[in-house]
Amino acid sequence: MSVAKHFSHVKWHLGRSSNPGATATVFGAYGFLGRYVVNRLARSGVRVVVPYRGDDYDVKHLKVMGDLGQIVPYEMSIRNYDEIERAVASSNVVVNMLGKPFETRRFNFDQINVQFPRVLGAICTDLGVDRVIHFSALGAASNAESKWLRTKHAGEMALREEYPDATVLRLGMVVGPEDKIMNKVAEMAKIMPALPLVSGPTARQQPVYCLDVAAAVQAVLMREESEGETFAVAGPKAYTNQELYDYLYTTIRRPVTTVALPRSLLEMVGSMIEVLPKPMLTRDMVHTYLADLTAPEGMPGLRELGIEPTPIEEVAEIYLKRFRPPASATVEEISKLPYSTDRL
């Protein structure tokens, strides 16, 4: 049985050097979003176990987010039942963030999004883990055209068959300083004469800021009533793909140059690119981008967790302005520099 106690005794405001008696195992923490979740937990004094495979170089940046020994990397494979069990054996809470939007030769969507959550749920039930938080996606449905979205939905069901009280966070497109979408599109906009646009009648997205997602994880742990619930973790506004491109181009101060391509052509391009190790586009991504990736009506979201969603307009400029052309600053912006502009 787990050595964990219930979270009613945990004090979340005492800082990194405190010892609230909580331990969290965070799967998938070495990605862009993982650093913010780990940091949010660690600054409350939570001991964080970070399972990883491959090189410890991928997780070394997480160690500085806590006191000495507070962040514990653990090399393992999700194919090994015993190693998964050891990773969560002493934890109060388990967070599953695994789930890349493309398949590889080693792992397909079914293995990552369905089979692993089922095994993880069974292990957490056997060990008596207090809380399980599972990251899913907006648009997840059994009838979705995208295989990624279908398996995300199947993974939610599989997890709850084994651990009924699991809390599911359905995420929108996550944006932040290291995101793989806004930054990549802005980088391509610098060098390409035009960007291909995946457009469709229902293609809308509801981007959410990375710090809001991390805050949602802590907020869920602070509320016992969130057990077994599903939350739509999305930003305050929905955008079409064209509107997102328009905002991005305006922010980086470049002329809007997008080309709406036929779906069949994009799927053909995706079929050629998806053989690469980290493809920027696959056929299944085309299907995902054509789906409605917004918060369902009536599903609780960030506000129900006490979090006011951050508009991307308030934060995206901070990390996108590096893609602006040289000497593109306005007179007003120059006047705000922390030195005298009398000689300019």
Side-chain angles (χ1 to χ4, degrees), residues 5 14 16 61 90 94 98 109 132 214 259 269-270 287 289 317:
K5 298 178 181 178
L14 297 181
R16 300 180 196 276
H61 64 282
S90 60
V94 171
L98 290 178
F109 286 145
V132 174
V259 179
V269 174
H287 301 158
Y289 295 146
E317 183 179 3

Side-chain angles (χ1 to χ4, degrees), residues 171-176 206-210 212-213 233-235 302 309-310 312:
L171 273 57
M173 180 181 75
V174 183
V175 298
Q206 207 163 340
V208 60
Y209 189 39
C210 55
D212 290 346
V213 178
V233 182
L302 290 174
T310 304
I312 63 171

Side-chain angles (χ1 to χ4, degrees), residues 74 80-90 123 126-127:
Y74 173 62
N80 190 311
Y81 188 95
D82 292 335
E83 290 181 350
I84 300 173
E85 195 172 50
R86 285 195 291 271
V88 304
S90 60
I123 290 175
D126 292 342
L127 295 178

Side-chain angles (χ1 to χ4, degrees), residues 90-107:
S90 60
S91 293
N92 304 67
V93 62
V94 171
V95 181
N96 179 29
M97 302 177 62
L98 290 178
K100 290 184 178 180
F102 56 85
E103 295 180 298
T104 67
R105 295 179 181 178
R106 290 179 55 86
F107 295 99

